[in-house]
Amino acid sequence: MDFTETKKPGPPDFENARNKRQKVRAAGMDPNHWYAVEHVDALAPGDVTEVTFWRKSVALFRDEWGTLHAVENRCAHRQLKLSLGLVEKDRIVCPYHGWQYDGEGRLVSVAHELFGKKLPKCKVKSYAVRERYGLIWLFFGDPAIAFDVAMPEIPELEQEKPWACIPLDFTIKAHHSMIIDNVSDFTHAFLHRKYKPFWDAKLVEMKEEENRVLVSYDTVIGGGGATKYFVDRNNIDTNSIKLGYEYPYQWSNTDGQIKHWLSVLPIDERTTKAFFIFYFKSFKVPFLPLRFPHRLMKTVLRAANEVQIKPVMAEDIMACEAEQRGYEEHYDEPIAEINPAVHAFQALTIRKWEEYLEREAAKKRVKLRRGATDAAE
Ligand code: FES
Ligand SMILES: [Fe+2]
């Protein structure tokens, strides 16, 4: 060890990254997708909250009639965060001078005299928002294309007798790519040696496609901890699992009966909010060859969340946060990653971010050119 070293400046940003690991740990996520940001019941009519995507702040509010709106989180007057304000009818009101904005971000009223002037023409950006699967989803990119862009399709949660599901969220002090690596890389059974959500994993398939990476493991699923009592191992093939990093989401599928989707909300380079939608077709009654009736599934899942899913997640969070701290200290050490699936996930994250940056740069070039032509005319 070299004790003469002065303090390092910290990991490089994306542009200055010197290798693939530094690139992936600095990459953002393409805002032109739907991202889960909150639970639907976290915002009652009249509530407002702040949502952050890659350091950009958004005020998300539910108007008095129950409709959600999302606008850039700043008052055009003196740049206070609108999320510090309040909701009146279908408007968000800045707490300082009471300027009011509609759901499109247009200034529609000012609560003081105008000094003989007209209402200023001000508009802050607005974002597309929707509610699905018990979660609020925001589209941080171009609102004009939002509803043409796919989001996770989960028919099992929208059919007449939906599968059991309680979305869970965790704020993790780690880069989003570390979380994607964690959930799709089953070499870390050692971390979960107490609860054994999976073990003896062998990567049997990996396919890289344009927008996704598909992997399959032969492994024992759900055989440890409390899960073994609730998973119907006689009727579910728990010896393999399929996983996908379907940019920007991640999912798993165990024999078409136990599934999940994960949506990561990248807050900044070292903070991510992860929304897990686990859903189960059925649960077995412990020690009996019976399944729980449909109406009790949520109660069982609530218990399973406490005794199995959350404790396992706590181990993953501990590991990801420790990895983030380790990376910030040792970002220049040689790369020692041996799972090819991890390399594939990282390559996809990097490529998608590069494509986004290139599209944005092209837009700016067009704007500049147009500006130059207008000036010349
Ligand atoms: S700063 Fe928002 S109304 Fe003045
Ligand atoms: Fe894990």
Side-chain angles (χ1 to χ4, degrees), residues 294-360:
H294 187 261
R295 68 193 149 78
L296 289 183
M297 292 276 292
K298 265 213 164 160
T299 314
V300 178
L301 184 51
R302 220 164 270 135
N305 277 347
E306 294 308 316
V307 298
Q308 180 75 9
I309 295 178
K310 284 186 188 173
V312 169
M313 281 308 306
E315 293 175 334
D316 285 318
I317 292 168
M318 181 282 290
C320 287
E321 294 189 344
E323 181 179 359
Q324 179 70 38
R325 291 193 298 274
Y327 174 65
E328 287 178 19
E329 173 85 15
H330 304 292
Y331 55 89
D332 260 338
E333 292 297 326
I335 298 171
E337 182 55 60
I338 55 175
N339 183 349
V342 171
H343 284 284
F345 308 146
Q346 297 185 351
L348 180 57
T349 299
I350 293 169
R351 179 165 55 78
K352 287 288 181 183
W353 186 239
E354 282 171 342
E355 285 171 7
Y356 167 71
L357 294 178
E358 184 41 48
R359 280 199 313 274
E360 290 304 298

Side-chain angles (χ1 to χ4, degrees), residues 59-331:
L60 171 67
F61 67 99
R62 196 185 285 283
D63 68 28
E64 291 181 8
W65 295 279
T67 305
L68 286 167
H69 308 276
V71 297
E72 200 182 343
N73 199 5
R74 63 175 185 90
C75 174
H77 186 209
R78 297 208 195 145
Q79 318 302 324
L80 265 75
K81 282 189 173 176
L82 291 173
S83 58
L84 297 170
L86 53 127
V87 175
E88 252 180 39
K89 294 185 183 150
D90 57 352
R91 297 166 177 188
I92 179 85
V93 185
C94 177
Y96 198 176
H97 310 89
W99 288 25
Q100 299 194 358
Y101 299 82
D102 66 10
E104 310 277 292
R106 278 182 299 251
L107 177 70
V108 284
S109 169
V110 162
H112 55 78
E113 69 158 321
L114 291 172
F115 306 99
K117 299 190 173 100
K118 279 194 193 150
L119 186 74
K121 271 208 170 93
C122 296
K123 188 180 179 319
V124 293
K125 276 189 203 123
S126 65
Y127 302 90
V129 53
R130 71 198 298 182
E131 299 179 63
R132 226 173 159 192
Y133 317 130
L135 294 171
I136 299 172
W137 302 75
L138 257 161
F139 195 90
F140 296 93
D142 180 359
I145 60 162
F147 287 91
D148 298 327
V149 175
M151 64 179 296
E153 288 301 323
I154 315 180
E156 295 90 339
L157 296 184
E158 294 182 323
Q159 63 200 23
E160 201 176 318
K161 274 197 170 179
W163 290 17
C165 172
I166 302 171
L168 295 173
D169 73 276
F170 304 91
T171 298
I172 305 166
K173 294 191 197 77
H175 187 270
H176 54 84
S177 64
M178 290 181 189
I179 296 158
I180 297 293
D181 290 354
N182 169 273
V183 285
S184 295
D185 166 22
F186 275 27
T187 56
H188 74 278
F190 184 74
L191 174 71
H192 301 308
R193 56 201 177 277
K194 182 171 167 200
Y195 296 98
K196 295 189 168 57
F198 56 86
W199 73 84
D200 273 350
K202 305 229 164 11
L203 182 68
V204 288
E205 205 188 340
M206 188 187 79
K207 232 204 259 163
E208 290 181 80
E209 297 176 359
E210 199 198 336
N211 298 316
R212 59 185 194 171
V213 179
L214 302 174
V215 293
S216 301
Y217 289 96
D218 278 348
T219 176
V220 183
I221 294 291
T227 331
K228 62 176 177 283
Y229 300 116
F230 294 96
V231 171
D232 189 355
R233 305 179 72 79
N234 293 328
N235 290 304
I236 304 176
D237 173 11
T238 50
N239 293 315
S240 64
I241 187 168
K242 290 187 188 331
L243 298 129
Y245 175 27
E246 193 134 350
Y247 191 89
Y249 314 106
Q250 187 271 346
W251 54 258
S252 76
N253 180 351
T254 304
D255 197 24
Q257 312 219 33
I258 305 171
K259 299 185 179 183
H260 91 259
W261 278 92
L262 161 66
S263 171
V264 287
L265 178 69
I267 292 173
D268 59 31
E269 283 84 349
R270 50 190 314 203
T271 322
T272 307
K273 197 168 177 185
F275 288 86
F276 284 91
I277 307 170
F278 287 104
Y279 50 114
F280 299 79
K281 190 170 184 186
S282 61
F283 288 118
K284 193 180 101 51
V285 179
F287 312 112
L288 292 173
L290 296 174
R291 290 184 184 195
F292 276 103
H294 187 261
R295 68 193 149 78
L296 289 183
M297 292 276 292
K298 265 213 164 160
T299 314
V300 178
L301 184 51
R302 220 164 270 135
N305 277 347
E306 294 308 316
V307 298
Q308 180 75 9
I309 295 178
K310 284 186 188 173
V312 169
M313 281 308 306
E315 293 175 334
D316 285 318
I317 292 168
M318 181 282 290
C320 287
E321 294 189 344
E323 181 179 359
Q324 179 70 38
R325 291 193 298 274
Y327 174 65
E328 287 178 19
E329 173 85 15
H330 304 292
Y331 55 89

